[in-house]
Amino acid sequence: METVFRLESPRVIAGVARIVRDVGIAEELAQDALVAALERWPREGVPDNPGAWLMATARHRAVDLVRRRETYARKLAEIGRDLETTAPPEEPADPDGLDDDLLRLVFTACHPVLSAQARTALTLRLLGGLSTAEIARAHLVPEATVAQRIVRAKRTLAARNVAFEVPYGPDREARLGSVLDVIYLIFNEGYAATAGDDWLRPGLCEDALRLARVLSGLMPGEPEVHGLTALLEFQTSRAAARTAPDGTPVLLRDQDRGRWNRLLIARGVEALDRAGATASGPPGPYRLQAAIAACHARASTYDETDWRAIATLYGLLAVRAPSPVVELNRAVAVSMADGPAAGLELVEALAAEPALRDYHLLPSVRGDLLARLGRTAEARAEFVRAAGLARNERERALLLRRAGECPDVTPADGRSASSVPPPPG
């Protein structure tokens, strides 16, 4: 039941929001439909198409609500009287159509009346189906802060009577940056889930990629839209190789590149070429990240990867979109290009960053670099610390396994491992 709702709730919310013109009410009606399912499905059985059942239930309740409230009388007349008897489509709207409800939901939640943080949090909640805890984790902020942002955002949209639409002209340009950020964050949550028992949530990746493709068709002259699409195509191409049959994560260096989807890689190359063809200035953040992903896609093996080019691209990205996470990724690339000692120096400089204090990938990267330097006891401690910070069960198990691969030994001379000079290189 939980799985079905997490997969279908974004479409249900988007479909209902088109009727009631209020995303907060739409979310409540979607939850009402879930309650109805909890009451009826155990007795009657799960329907053949659970998503269509939830959509029909929520839409019928939306029409009832509109009819009961005089303030919605005009909107009911616009919708038409056949909504109550017309069955909803079993599949989402045509992904190539400009009337895509999910895309409308993204642009509505990214309205400029909201702060940038509120736009992202609200859309991740409504479209991505993420909990407040997952959103907080993605943004490295307290859970209470995210909860307040979401509540205030819903109230603001309702108070300002924001239209449920895909805007045009200057309004669309004003919201584009937030829309791209939201789509990317949704994809990232599907690509490497912050919490839960599964490392991958393919449904989120599929929704994000579909939205990026729709947006590319909607805005063919925007290089960053094509850059984001290229990035998601490249990243999605690795999906089949990123987990073992039992769901265990497979690190990039260990992946069978023969399982990478060559069609998606080709689509990524095409989108990246379109981004370059439509650009008139220096590359933006998504175009740079797509170029990094292309370096991985072009390499036949992990060792053949052009790490120096990747390190350079991360340096450019750090200028265009400064972030401790970008610097951490740059440190990894530098370690591959110039050796683990060079990467570790950059990682140590990030240790005091407040935003990375509870970020499990910081000790994870540090553990990897220490292991490569032969400082295995320190590496083991870092992997254990990273596992303690990780909230995804699959990732935690991987980190503990890596810790177990690092012998916790004391050198024969009695000195601690941390005081032993690292080997050359």
Side-chain angles (χ1 to χ4, degrees):
M1 184 76 75
E2 180 182 359
T3 300
V4 167
F5 189 68
R6 293 198 70 161
L7 290 173
E8 299 295 341
S9 64
R11 295 182 178 88
V12 175
I13 293 170
V16 173
R18 181 160 51 87
I19 299 173
V20 300
R21 299 294 196 268
D22 186 309
V23 294
I25 294 175
E27 185 181 21
E28 292 175 3
L29 291 171
Q31 292 171 349
D32 287 346
L34 173 64
V35 172
L38 287 169
E39 293 173 347
R40 295 178 57 180
W41 291 1
R43 298 194 311 266
E44 303 173 5
V46 178
D48 292 336
N49 191 326
W53 192 98
L54 290 169
M55 177 70 82
T57 301
R59 289 181 66 179
H60 289 160
R61 294 186 180 214
V63 172
D64 289 342
L65 177 64
V66 168
R67 284 181 165 171
R68 286 198 306 267
R69 298 177 60 174
E70 292 183 357
T71 54
Y72 285 100
R74 179 181 56 81
K75 296 178 183 179
L76 180 62
E78 293 173 357
I79 294 168
R81 297 183 177 275
D82 62 337
L83 269 178
E84 190 174 22
T85 57
T86 301
E90 295 196 356
E91 298 296 332
D94 180 3
D96 295 323
L98 303 188
D99 61 341
D100 188 319
D101 285 342
L102 287 173
L103 196 59
R104 292 173 188 266
L105 181 58
V106 174
F107 271 99
T108 301
C110 291
H111 196 282
V113 297
L114 304 177
S115 68
Q117 298 91 338
R119 297 174 206 168
T120 303
L122 180 62
T123 309
L124 286 172
R125 172 69 174 172
L126 298 179
L127 184 74
L130 275 64
S131 68
T132 53
E134 289 169 332
I135 299 170
R137 183 71 172 177
H139 285 79
L140 307 178
V141 296
E143 186 175 341
T145 300
V146 172
Q148 291 176 353
R149 288 175 183 171
I150 292 173
V151 170
R152 291 171 182 168
K154 291 177 184 177
R155 289 174 179 169
T156 301
L157 290 176
R160 299 291 187 91
N161 197 27
V162 171
F164 185 70
E165 63 181 6
V166 177
Y168 295 90
D171 287 344
R172 183 190 296 173
E173 302 297 328
R175 300 189 216 177
L176 181 59
S178 291
V179 169
L180 297 180
D181 291 346
V182 165
I183 293 174
Y184 188 38
L185 283 169
I186 291 172
F187 180 87
N188 279 341
E189 181 58 31
Y191 194 70
T194 57
D197 296 328
D198 297 319
W199 195 40
L200 301 181
R201 295 174 60 186
L204 291 181
C205 292
E206 292 168 5
D207 275 344
L209 179 55
R210 187 177 67 83
L211 286 169
R213 289 171 177 169
V214 170
L215 205 58
S216 289
L218 185 63
M219 309 180 73
E222 288 291 339
E224 277 294 85
V225 173
H226 296 306
L228 175 63
T229 304
L231 174 60
L232 301 195
E233 299 279 11
F234 285 132
Q235 299 290 73
T236 304
S237 72
R238 308 177 199 165
R242 294 188 67 242
T243 57
D246 63 355
T248 302
V250 178
L251 298 176
L252 178 62
R253 68 187 179 206
D254 300 323
Q255 289 176 17
D256 176 4
R257 300 193 174 207
R259 300 186 66 197
W260 287 10
N261 189 312
R262 309 314 299 184
L263 175 60
L264 292 179
I265 290 175
R267 293 187 65 142
V269 171
E270 291 175 2
L272 188 57
D273 288 344
R274 286 195 298 271
T278 56
S280 58
Y286 289 111
R287 195 171 148 208
L288 287 170
Q289 290 179 79
I292 292 169
C295 289
H296 291 294
R298 294 188 182 106
S300 299
T301 66
Y302 186 77
D303 292 334
E304 293 177 11
T305 305
D306 190 347
W307 290 106
R308 197 165 299 281
I310 292 176
T312 299
L313 289 167
Y314 269 122
L316 295 173
L317 182 60
V319 174
R320 293 300 307 273
S323 161
V325 175
V326 171
E327 291 293 346
L328 184 62
N329 287 329
R330 185 170 77 90
V332 173
V334 168
S335 77
M336 297 302 299
D338 299 325
L344 183 60
E345 183 178 352
L346 296 176
V347 170
E348 300 290 17
L350 296 171
E353 282 286 346
L356 298 181
R357 181 177 55 191
D358 297 324
Y359 190 51
H360 69 285
L361 291 183
L362 178 62
S364 174
V365 169
R366 190 169 186 273
D368 183 73
L369 297 176
L370 289 168
R372 289 166 57 192
L373 288 168
R375 297 159 63 176
T376 56
E378 292 174 88
R380 178 188 179 93
E382 289 298 301
F383 285 132
V384 170
R385 186 161 76 91
L389 293 172
R391 298 177 63 183
N392 182 279
E393 294 300 327
R394 295 287 187 179
E395 198 165 15
R396 182 182 293 120
L398 172 64
L399 290 165
L400 291 175
R401 189 189 76 202
R402 297 200 67 193
E405 295 169 351
C406 297
D408 188 6
V409 297
T410 301
D413 61 6
R415 291 182 296 169
S416 67
S418 61
S419 64
V420 176

